[in-house]
Amino acid sequence: MRGGGQLLWSERAEWLQERLYANYRDDESGILAQWHPVSAAKPGDNFYYWWQAHVIDVWMDGYERSQDRTYLERIDYLASHLRRINGDTFLHNYYDDMEWLALALLRVYDATGDRLYRERVSELWTDIRTAWNSHMGGGMAWKKDQLDYKNTPANAPAAILAARLHQRFGDPEDLAWARRIYAWNREHLVDPQTGFVWDGINRLGDGAIDKEWTFTYCQGVMIGAGLELHTCTGEASYLAEATQTATAARARYVDPQTSMLPDEGIDDTGLFKGILVRYIARMLLQTEEGAAWRHILLRNGETLWSSGLDPDTGLAGPGWEARPVGDVQLSVQLSAVMLAEALACLAAHHEIDTSKG
């Protein structure tokens, strides 16, 4: 592992970004491979469109940290090939996948001012809005061929997107969308006593809430939605709700002995705690709350760096306490990069003291 344990988090994040690109670059497809090694891919594997959106997101983390335009060049290349692979469009059956891509491309527009990216976001947002319907009292459907199933993964990122669009372009309709989507999610899929976020409702057509499906991801996106609406409106309730959910997530997911976040496995769930980390880090930049989370993120990062990475390849496993064994999925690796970039960002803003592990 380059440089040992004393590297700054900015240097650690850059090394992990370099290894991400080296390990998953796939010149044949033009996007990042879903496995390392590429040969580990199996016939019939799902095409995880939304993972590529998070590749763009972590590359934007790298660009914002370093101002190295190589990241933007890689994003241009990947985005064009992702669109090609998806049938010369970014539109998709899964609304949440489109939401993640729109969020990532909006960041690219912020950085570059390239109107093509704004047009792509607008195209996606127009289609995403068709997810709202009257089933289950409103809310955004998860996918176009199951319009009566509503879940946090389709609603909270949509609220984040609508709020950010309002922040950039000032359209009051976007703010109204953000408020409405967020309110539906809070009413139907959040425990009013604790702020803990449930996954979805009516998945099996029985009107039941999937309370047994408990994921770090759901907590992260609702925290993010509350933070963005607080930024838009200044209303204290949104910040209080984000803080409540962060407290509930800490109680549910953080090991009280080790301060470590859980191993949530592979496939889509491999990305989940990286998303929680992203929005917890945003919370730490926007509020005085969350001192306990500062320690947790740093403890997870230092453990990943010292114990959870292959020192030669930079590969990480789904549990950050131990080095990976066997093939590693892109989703799992992206969570590790998200953690490193979050800590680099927090250190740059003096939100954590990296001299203490």
Side-chain angles (χ1 to χ4, degrees), residues 260-261 263 273 300 302-311 315-325 328 332 336:
M260 295 301 294
L261 289 164
D263 176 344
K273 64 184 173 184
N300 276 261
E302 293 294 347
T303 300
L304 171 68
W305 186 256
S306 64
S307 304
L309 294 175
D310 182 299
L315 292 169
W320 288 336
E321 298 96 328
R323 292 176 183 174
V325 177
V328 177
V332 171

Side-chain angles (χ1 to χ4, degrees), residues 233-277:
T233 67
E235 294 175 18
S237 60
Y238 289 122
L239 188 57
E241 288 165 354
T243 302
Q244 183 194 35
T245 295
T247 300
R250 178 162 54 86
R252 179 68 65 96
Y253 294 112
V254 178
D255 187 304
Q257 302 301 316
T258 66
S259 296
M260 295 301 294
L261 289 164
D263 176 344
E264 290 181 281
I266 64 170
D267 297 329
D268 281 341
T269 57
L271 253 169
F272 285 5
K273 64 184 173 184
I275 293 168
L276 173 64
V277 166

Side-chain angles (χ1 to χ4, degrees), residues 8-27:
L8 297 174
W9 271 106
S10 59
E11 297 172 298
R12 293 175 176 183
E14 185 64 24
W15 184 75
L16 278 171
Q17 290 273 16
E18 291 171 3
R19 301 316 305 155
L20 172 71
Y21 187 67
N23 288 328
Y24 292 91
R25 177 179 176 177
D26 181 2
D27 291 331

